[in-house]
Amino acid sequence: MTAPLLDGLRVVEVSAFVAAPIGGMTLAQLGADVIRIDPIGGNIDYRRWPLAPGGRSLYWTGLNKHKRSVALDLRSDAGRDIARALITAPGEGGGILLTNLPASGWMGHEELARDREDLISLRLTGNYDGTPAVDYTVNCASGFPAATGFGGPPVNHVLPAWDVAAGLYLSVGLLAADRARRRTGTGREIALSLSDVMLATVANLGYVADVQVNGAVRQPAGNEVYGAFGRDFETSDGRRVMVVAISNRQWHALLRATALTETFEAAGRALGLDLDSEGGRYRARDMIAALLKPWFAGRSLADVGDALSREGVIWGPFQDFGQLVREDPRCSPRNPLFSLVEQPDVGQILMPGSPLRPPPAEALPPKPAPRLGEDTEAVLSEMLGLSSAEIARLRAQGVVAGEPAAEQQEQGRNSEGTAVPAPGASVAGAP
Amino acid sequence: MTAPLLDGLRVVEVSAFVAAPIGGMTLAQLGADVIRIDPIGGNIDYRRWPLAPGGRSLYWTGLNKHKRSVALDLRSDAGRDIARALITAPGEGGGILLTNLPASGWMGHEELARDREDLISLRLTGNYDGTPAVDYTVNCASGFPAATGFGGPPVNHVLPAWDVAAGLYLSVGLLAADRARRRTGTGREIALSLSDVMLATVANLGYVADVQVNGAVRQPAGNEVYGAFGRDFETSDGRRVMVVAISNRQWHALLRATALTETFEAAGRALGLDLDSEGGRYRARDMIAALLKPWFAGRSLADVGDALSREGVIWGPFQDFGQLVREDPRCSPRNPLFSLVEQPDVGQILMPGSPLRPPPAEALPPKPAPRLGEDTEAVLSEMLGLSSAEIARLRAQGVVAGEPAAEQQEQGRNSEGTAVPAPGASVAGAP
């Protein structure tokens, strides 16, 4: 095995919830040493649902794989001094802070840069002016819920898409700042806000300009694809598929698969519609759907899939999360993305590595999330040179914690029980 | 102005649609020189809806800002030789290909690496085995549409969330590979598939483990937040807001804003529910919503917003795209993300830069998308040292094209018209 892509990069993450943890995990999965610092007992996200039967959060473990965990009393000066020393510790690839907590006071960039001039810090806020926002309250304002569904009330997405995108932007910003520092020796603070990620994306996709230059406001259209042919169909066994024909090649593949080439030629001629253009198919979408529907309704999902795949039609089955896990071969160890890995306190689960796949010799197998504070001793010894005796003293003073004691592990409840708020939760800022 | 973050990085993008173009644009907005190569007349995405009144695609211009455009006849050996020379041109930050087209034949990594051993290539496919897929056909299989909405048929997202995430992963992978090459001198090919982005994300968020260890399959729950209190409310003026209380601090802010602290204390006691825990609030969500509803129904959006913001409640208005553009101050030049910029053939529009905000001296103002082939001459002269006479000869032979001729600009139609398939469309692989 050669060195992983991000060998030598060291990031200290002080975070909670989805976006910032995804930012750190994305880099850790490519080989960066990502040290997540939490308050003793865990941050506000540590017991977030869903939970494993033993009380461990599947949410937290999913978003913090491949990291090391250090637990500190961040309300005490002693705990903050240790956090500060870890963030600003020397080393070419270190001196990098990634956070979504209020980066003021001891966590402020200027303040930390007093200890390491070339510090890089990445700071995520809700809005660009520092006011708080979360995925749900950004999404509602994006315009997408109003354009989703079948025309009733607005429909929120369930995927926290803005959090996911923001986490990935944080990874991009961090690597860009690291690149600049390698070339010039200069560190810097980079700010990102969740609502700016939303706004930039809405504009990048043309929706803002469509309002500005056309006065057009996209309306909900169910599961239809805008500007081309694409929609869902029901199969004879009560399943549903999504079928898309954007290019002419894809369109003709669909006609071959359904043996409807001549039917559509005749229908296009009769109605004077050009079915050999994206726009023409979009305008004819109701007619196209009506002619295709019986073909799908007369076949099982398996038969539909065989016929479509044989001709290279772009299609996919609708699946719930259970069907995805139980039926989709891509969601199994057959896909090199996944391995069966023992996640402590959870069990053996299907764990993804990075979807970015370098040559096999450089790819890192998935590594479970740490237990809270699991790496405290190792990190303090390795990075700050503290002795076992010093660490034991800090632990006795309640400044640092190692792995949580057994009874703390049992505080959690399963999905039917009550999630206990973490004692350190007040340290965390807005999610 | 200091040098931008990605000064000196040069990427050749051979792409279409959303994901790969976002990957390139994200880097361009941070200062990389991103050269998009298209077939003469444009790739399959060049006229994708929505269109400006003059026929220019708002989709294409939105996703290709800040790049340079080179148009080549990629069906001819001469055109491919030029593309190959651009991809493998010498230069420390160059030798990087980003593509979502089939990376075989002349575009294969091994083949190109014959001309530049330290080549980096980033290749996006539909599925990990190379079979095609698009956002819609990946999303339907993710489990999210089945968990979205109010319990009817599955509901697709309208935001192409997997494309956006895949684009950002491509940026991450490219910067990670560039970092590794700077340290070791070695290039490499990195593969990413759209469905792996989906699968990794579903698993990262805990949904796969929830099926595996709890047998739980998340069901649609309208606009409610899972595992905490959060949902939408209607206001007296027919608008709608999203309100979220995840932490205790946020919950008590909501109670103060609505003057319902004592009411909820009494209700919690009466029903024996612990409203001071996330899980307790989740279980009591229907009762909480019923008690809050009249407060919202009795106030206008403006009054609701004032009262909630004053107490620091996490909330947001539902807006359609029109309301976002016309009413939200974050979607205006008041937000440093945006500037009013003239996009050729479109007009003056609100254009975002990168949501990643380095110190002001390093931030790049937004730059419009190029006209197709606009930079062909400049790039061929600068990177390959071709003379004007040589370029004129190539142009006469139809191997390269500069800016499209006037009649070609007029081929497009407005939103009411027919999108003309690009002559070079057959060169493009699966979207």
Side-chain angles (χ1 to χ4, degrees):
Chain A
M1 151 114 206
T2 8
L5 285 178
L6 296 182
D7 192 38
L9 187 70
R10 194 182 64 229
V11 178
V12 173
E13 182 191 308
V14 188
S15 69
F17 295 109
V18 180
I22 283 183
M25 187 172 68
T26 299
L27 302 170
Q29 290 176 316
L30 296 174
D33 178 16
V34 177
I35 298 164
R36 175 166 165 162
I37 296 181
D38 277 293
I40 294 172
N43 211 328
I44 187 171
D45 58 338
Y46 187 58
R47 304 212 180 264
R48 189 116 180 65
W49 288 13
L51 308 177
R56 193 79 201 272
S57 168
L58 299 174
Y59 170 98
W60 198 94
T61 48
L63 295 167
N64 292 284
K65 295 186 290 283
H66 238 297
K67 298 178 189 173
R68 297 204 280 174
S69 171
V70 168
L72 301 174
D73 177 7
L74 291 172
R75 290 163 304 193
S76 73
D77 286 343
R80 291 177 176 189
D81 285 348
I82 293 171
R84 181 189 181 104
L86 293 175
I87 295 165
T88 60
E92 186 212 12
I96 306 180
L97 169 67
L98 169 61
T99 190
N100 66 317
L101 304 190
S104 53
W106 73 274
M107 282 243 296
H109 183 86
E110 300 307 323
E111 177 62 24
L112 289 167
R114 285 168 48 197
D115 287 355
R116 179 161 176 164
E117 211 189 339
D118 69 348
L119 179 79
I120 291 171
S121 57
L122 274 286
R123 180 167 55 88
L124 177 71
T125 60
N127 294 307
Y128 77 91
D129 61 2
T131 54
V134 296
D135 186 280
Y136 310 99
T137 63
V138 160
N139 185 52
C140 60
S142 73
F144 283 109
T148 300
F150 302 89
V155 181
N156 285 353
H157 59 206
V158 176
L159 170 72
W162 308 116
D163 274 341
V164 171
L168 294 168
Y169 265 116
L170 289 170
S171 306
V172 170
L174 195 153
L175 291 174
D178 171 67
R179 186 179 190 279
R181 185 172 71 175
R182 284 173 171 267
R183 290 164 55 95
T184 65
T186 314
R188 58 195 37 81
E189 178 172 36
I190 296 186
L192 178 74
S193 78
L194 196 61
S195 63
D196 274 2
V197 168
M198 174 276 278
L199 291 159
T201 304
V202 173
N204 290 342
L205 292 166
Y207 292 95
V208 172
D210 203 18
V211 172
Q212 291 192 296
V213 308
N214 293 326
V217 175
R218 195 80 64 82
Q219 298 302 310
N223 293 331
E224 282 178 6
V225 173
Y226 173 76
F229 181 74
R231 59 162 291 162
D232 54 340
F233 290 97
E234 225 176 322
T235 60
S236 65
D237 49 354
R239 293 292 298 269
R240 203 175 272 267
V241 296
M242 185 75 199
V243 177
V244 176
I246 295 177
S247 69
N248 280 346
R249 197 165 54 83
Q250 294 161 5
W251 170 243
H252 288 288
L254 175 60
L255 298 188
R256 283 195 309 276
T258 55
L260 288 170
T261 303
E262 284 163 27
T263 308
F264 275 102
E265 269 171 18
R269 258 196 318 274
L271 298 172
L273 287 166
D274 176 16
L275 298 183
D276 274 321
S277 80
E278 244 179 283
R281 290 190 287 270
Y282 181 59
R283 267 190 306 276
R285 62 194 181 278
D286 289 341
M287 178 273 278
I288 295 174
L291 286 176
L292 284 172
K293 219 168 171 175
W295 187 87
F296 289 91
R299 283 162 180 81
S300 68
L301 173 63
D303 289 347
V304 162
D306 284 348
L308 297 181
S309 294
R310 199 180 308 124
E311 294 293 345
V313 176
I314 313 284
W315 76 282
F318 280 86
Q319 304 178 135
D320 66 22
F321 293 113
Q323 289 162 331
L324 171 69
V325 173
R326 295 187 197 106
E327 297 175 14
D328 195 324
R330 295 171 300 182
C331 192
S332 80
R334 271 195 266 174
N335 181 345
L337 176 70
F338 284 108
S339 314
L340 279 171
V341 175
E342 180 71 22
Q343 169 65 55
D345 310 320
V346 169
Q348 200 181 60
I349 57 172
L350 210 51
M351 198 176 284
S354 174
L356 288 163
R357 291 202 296 151
E362 296 174 347
L364 287 172
K367 198 180 146 198
R371 283 181 168 147
L372 193 70
E374 179 173 343
D375 307 291
T376 308
E377 282 207 38
V379 169
L380 267 53
S381 149
E382 169 196 322
M383 284 179 58
L384 308 182
L386 296 188
S387 67
S388 300
E390 287 168 309
I391 295 169
R393 189 177 48 80
L394 287 168
R395 186 199 287 260
Q397 292 169 342
V399 174
V400 310
E403 293 195 46
E407 83 273 20
Q408 212 170 340
Q409 278 298 321
E410 284 162 26
Q411 273 190 0
R413 307 284 183 278
N414 68 16
S415 306
E416 297 303 306
T418 306
V420 180
S426 60
V427 177
Chain B
M1 154 109 210
T2 9
L5 286 178
L6 296 182
D7 192 39
L9 187 71
R10 194 182 63 228
V11 178
V12 174
E13 182 191 309
V14 189
S15 68
F17 294 110
V18 180
I22 283 184
M25 187 172 69
T26 300
L27 302 170
Q29 290 177 316
L30 295 173
D33 178 17
V34 178
I35 298 163
R36 176 167 165 163
I37 296 180
D38 278 293
I40 294 172
N43 211 328
I44 187 172
D45 59 338
Y46 187 59
R47 304 214 180 261
R48 189 116 180 65
W49 288 13
L51 307 178
R56 193 81 202 270
S57 167
L58 299 174
Y59 169 99
W60 197 95
T61 48
L63 295 167
N64 293 286
K65 295 187 290 283
H66 238 298
K67 298 177 188 173
R68 298 203 279 174
S69 171
V70 168
L72 302 174
D73 177 7
L74 292 171
R75 289 162 304 194
S76 73
D77 286 343
R80 291 176 176 189
D81 285 348
I82 293 172
R84 180 188 182 106
L86 293 175
I87 295 164
T88 59
E92 186 212 12
I96 307 180
L97 168 67
L98 169 62
T99 189
N100 66 317
L101 305 191
S104 53
W106 71 275
M107 283 244 294
H109 183 86
E110 301 307 325
E111 177 61 25
L112 289 168
R114 285 169 47 197
D115 287 355
R116 180 161 175 163
E117 209 189 342
D118 69 348
L119 179 80
I120 291 171
S121 57
L122 273 286
R123 181 167 55 88
L124 178 71
T125 60
N127 294 306
Y128 77 91
D129 60 3
T131 54
V134 296
D135 186 279
Y136 311 98
T137 62
V138 160
N139 184 53
C140 60
S142 72
F144 283 109
T148 299
F150 303 89
V155 181
N156 284 354
H157 59 206
V158 176
L159 171 73
W162 308 115
D163 274 341
V164 171
L168 293 168
Y169 265 116
L170 289 170
S171 305
V172 170
L174 194 153
L175 291 174
D178 172 66
R179 185 178 190 280
R181 186 173 69 175
R182 285 174 169 267
R183 290 164 55 94
T184 65
T186 315
R188 58 193 40 76
E189 177 171 37
I190 297 185
L192 178 74
S193 78
L194 196 61
S195 63
D196 274 2
V197 168
M198 175 276 277
L199 292 158
T201 303
V202 173
N204 291 340
L205 292 166
Y207 292 94
V208 172
D210 204 17
V211 172
Q212 291 192 295
V213 308
N214 294 325
V217 175
R218 195 79 64 80
Q219 297 303 309
N223 293 330
E224 282 178 5
V225 173
Y226 173 76
F229 181 74
R231 59 162 291 164
D232 54 341
F233 291 97
E234 223 176 323
T235 60
S236 65
D237 49 352
R239 294 291 298 269
R240 203 175 272 267
V241 295
M242 184 76 198
V243 177
V244 176
I246 296 176
S247 70
N248 280 346
R249 197 166 56 79
Q250 292 162 6
W251 169 242
H252 288 288
L254 176 59
L255 298 187
R256 284 195 310 276
T258 55
L260 288 171
T261 303
E262 285 163 26
T263 309
F264 275 103
E265 270 171 16
R269 261 196 316 273
L271 299 173
L273 287 168
D274 176 15
L275 299 183
D276 275 322
S277 81
E278 243 179 284
R281 291 190 286 270
Y282 181 59
R283 267 190 305 278
R285 62 193 182 280
D286 289 341
M287 179 273 279
I288 295 173
L291 285 176
L292 284 172
K293 217 168 173 176
W295 187 87
F296 289 91
R299 284 164 180 79
S300 68
L301 173 63
D303 289 346
V304 162
D306 285 347
L308 298 180
S309 294
R310 200 179 307 124
E311 295 293 344
V313 176
I314 313 283
W315 76 282
F318 281 86
Q319 305 177 137
D320 66 21
F321 293 114
Q323 289 163 331
L324 172 69
V325 173
R326 294 186 198 109
E327 297 175 14
D328 196 324
R330 296 172 298 184
C331 191
S332 79
R334 271 195 267 176
N335 180 347
L337 176 70
F338 284 109
S339 313
L340 280 170
V341 175
E342 180 72 23
Q343 169 66 57
D345 311 320
V346 169
Q348 200 181 58
I349 56 171
L350 211 50
M351 199 177 281
S354 175
L356 288 163
R357 292 201 296 151
E362 295 174 349
L364 287 172
K367 198 179 148 199
R371 283 181 169 147
L372 192 70
E374 179 173 342
D375 307 291
T376 307
E377 282 209 39
V379 169
L380 266 53
S381 148
E382 170 196 323
M383 285 178 59
L384 307 182
L386 296 189
S387 67
S388 301
E390 286 167 310
I391 296 169
R393 189 177 47 80
L394 288 168
R395 186 197 287 262
Q397 292 168 341
V399 173
V400 311
E403 294 195 44
E407 83 274 21
Q408 211 169 344
Q409 277 299 321
E410 283 159 29
Q411 273 191 359
R413 305 287 184 274
N414 67 16
S415 306
E416 298 302 308
T418 307
V420 180
S426 60
V427 176

